[in-house]
Amino acid sequence: MRLLIHCYEYPPLGGGAANAIYYILKQFEAYTDLEVDVVTSSIDKQGVDVITDNIRVHYLDIGKNGTLHFQSQKDLLKYSWQSYWYTKKILQKKKYDLLHAFFGIPSGFISMMLRIPYIVSLRGSDVPFFNERFRLADKLIFKRLNRLIWNNALRVIANSTGLRSLAHSTHPQIPIDIIPNGIDTSYFIPRTRVWSGTINIVTTCRLIKRKAVDILIIALRNMANIRLTVIGDGPERMRLEELADQYAVPAVFLGCIDHSKIYLYLRSADLFVLPSTNEGMSNSVLEAMACGLAIIATDVGGSRELIKSNGFIIQVNNSDQLRAAISCYLKSPALLKSHGNESRRIAEEMDWKNVALSYYNIYRKCISKNC
């Protein structure tokens, strides 16, 4: 099977979708009947990396400026234009059985314009009204355009039931499968934790308004026996640092950390908090769970699918609820430990090998015209 993947993010550029592609490709290395080409963005290079005999990554230099974890509309437009024409050239030399678009927009649109069979993976911001910064464009353009892209796809796949529900508000009739994000449980592993009297809180995310890290900082004001580590970068970083100073929150902002080293910081923490106003299924939460951390997250996207007896679900923009949940752990270190143990158990059921196999089975069905 010859597969072409379009995704404008690939490590070190991007966030959850970039990591998902990386880990899925790692699993595909063992699929000797699968040949994969990925067309993606680069920070500063143009060319092809041969990962293995059956996997190649094609990098397009989009002239990326600013933080690696935030893609501007200019970045997306440059990737769309370049990837369309680059793929047209590839198609003159090589025939593909299927195109896999990570994100309905722009990747799904590019796939549709290329007129070869494709499937679409919905990741979050590509679904209308997921991201506030695209609200006007969603209302005027992308809602209609997404319907067209999804209608022409062989399969549409979301990474959580919450994201599927949001997509159905745009197109109620379209069938949408669910393949959740996965986790490498052999890489992200827990450490033995000894209660020190202080809760080390960590969050890893793009520092944009949607991630609502300000709600976490406000919740921690004047709270004793806590430390906060923030990993990630973005346009909100300076404001968040000033807010932490204003409320005397003991916070360290580390900026971008190479993904291969993230586990070191997760293993040093006790609690992971993600107060986003919207999510698909967070890779960051899954990584924290695999490292044996208790989780506090907002009631959005796939959170309820991940957080059962391993943490707390709170309402969006509710710093009081968040503060109360953290206080529960300060009062009961045993609860913090038991929630962390349960996180690890759940994570072990969500290894990337299962995610890759689910996609592989869909590829086979679509190529055999059995979609």
Side-chain angles (χ1 to χ4, degrees):
M1 295 188 292
R2 285 184 169 180
L3 175 70
L4 180 62
I5 297 177
H6 274 172
C7 184
Y8 61 82
E9 297 184 341
Y10 190 80
L13 191 67
N19 293 329
I21 286 287
Y22 173 82
Y23 284 113
I24 290 169
L25 290 182
K26 290 291 287 182
Q27 296 299 321
F28 282 167
E29 290 177 8
Y31 287 66
T32 56
D33 64 335
L34 186 61
E35 185 178 338
V36 185
D37 287 277
V38 180
V39 177
T40 189
S41 303
S42 164
I43 308 166
D44 57 5
K45 73 175 183 178
Q46 185 99 8
V48 182
D49 277 358
V50 178
I51 308 301
T52 62
D53 288 343
N54 65 324
I55 296 173
R56 289 167 295 277
V57 178
H58 303 251
Y59 292 97
L60 305 176
D61 185 359
I62 62 170
K64 175 67 180 170
N65 293 312
T67 176
L68 299 181
H69 298 304
F70 179 83
Q71 315 314 325
S72 67
Q73 293 186 26
K74 177 184 176 182
D75 294 332
L76 299 180
L77 286 171
K78 289 186 75 172
Y79 170 76
S80 300
W81 177 260
Q82 290 190 36
S83 63
Y84 174 79
W85 290 108
Y86 184 87
T87 306
K88 290 277 281 187
K89 291 179 181 178
I90 293 178
L91 291 173
Q92 292 174 4
K93 303 175 182 177
K94 189 173 182 179
K95 176 176 169 38
Y96 292 92
D97 300 300
L98 187 69
L99 198 154
H100 184 175
F102 255 65
F103 295 100
I105 294 176
S107 302
F109 177 71
I110 299 165
S111 304
M112 183 176 69
M113 296 302 293
L114 289 168
R115 299 178 182 275
I116 60 177
Y118 67 94
I119 66 172
V120 173
S121 286
L122 306 180
R123 303 296 307 176
S125 293
D126 54 329
V127 176
F129 310 113
F130 179 93
N131 196 325
E132 187 62 34
R133 73 181 171 120
F134 296 134
R135 178 162 289 273
L136 182 59
D138 284 338
K139 184 176 181 180
L140 297 178
I141 303 170
F142 294 144
K143 186 173 182 178
R144 295 179 181 85
L145 185 56
N146 269 294
R147 286 179 186 151
L148 185 62
I149 293 166
W150 301 348
N151 278 337
N152 282 281
L154 296 177
R155 295 282 278 270
V156 180
I157 303 157
N159 62 14
S160 71
T161 56
L163 192 62
R164 177 170 65 181
S165 296
L166 181 61
H168 275 153
S169 68
T170 288
H171 195 341
Q173 292 79 32
I174 195 78
I176 300 178
D177 300 298
I178 293 177
I179 298 179
N181 283 337
I183 183 66
D184 185 347
T185 54
S186 64
Y187 188 80
F188 291 92
I189 56 176
R191 66 171 174 86
T192 301
R193 290 178 171 82
V194 178
W195 176 243
S196 65
T198 297
I199 294 181
N200 294 297
I201 302 169
V202 65
T203 188
T204 63
C205 62
R206 307 181 197 204
L207 300 187
I208 56 178
K209 287 185 178 180
R210 178 169 58 84
K211 298 298 183 176
V213 176
D214 55 342
I215 297 300
L216 172 56
I217 292 171
I218 292 169
L220 296 176
R221 66 194 185 282
N222 302 319
M223 184 176 280
N225 301 319
I226 57 95
R227 284 198 294 266
L228 172 64
T229 299
V230 180
I231 299 172
D233 207 347
E236 288 284 288
R237 179 172 176 175
M238 184 177 294
R239 184 178 77 88
L240 293 170
E241 288 178 333
E242 291 172 351
L243 192 65
D245 287 342
Q246 177 185 341
Y247 286 117
V249 173
V252 177
F253 290 78
L254 298 180
C256 291
I257 299 292
D258 189 283
H259 190 258
S260 65
K261 298 177 181 176
I262 292 288
Y263 79 99
L264 296 172
Y265 298 92
L266 295 176
R267 295 182 78 231
S268 299
D270 305 295
L271 172 64
F272 185 90
V273 180
L274 189 64
S276 299
T277 59
N278 219 336
E279 284 290 333
M281 178 168 283
S282 171
N283 285 92
S284 296
V285 169
L286 282 164
E287 291 166 359
M289 287 170 56
C291 287
L293 301 188
I295 308 294
I296 301 176
T298 42
D299 192 7
V300 295
S303 293
R304 286 198 178 273
E305 297 160 63
L306 295 177
I307 303 170
K308 297 161 188 176
S309 53
N310 60 319
F312 293 103
I313 294 283
I314 61 170
Q315 296 305 306
V316 169
N317 292 327
N318 195 321
S319 60
D320 291 337
Q321 277 191 4
L322 178 50
R323 185 181 181 88
I326 295 169
S327 296
C328 282
Y329 288 132
L330 282 168
K331 294 173 184 175
S332 177
L335 182 64
L336 184 67
K337 181 178 180 179
S338 67
H339 280 183
N341 290 339
E342 181 64 9
S343 278
R344 175 63 188 184
R345 188 196 67 76
I346 296 170
E348 287 174 345
E349 298 175 353
M350 303 183 69
D351 195 274
W352 280 114
K353 64 183 178 183
N354 299 324
V355 176
L357 179 59
S358 295
Y359 276 119
Y360 174 82
N361 288 334
I362 284 180
Y363 299 156
R364 289 197 67 87
K365 288 180 180 178
C366 288
I367 291 170
S368 66
K369 313 298 183 185
N370 194 29
C371 264

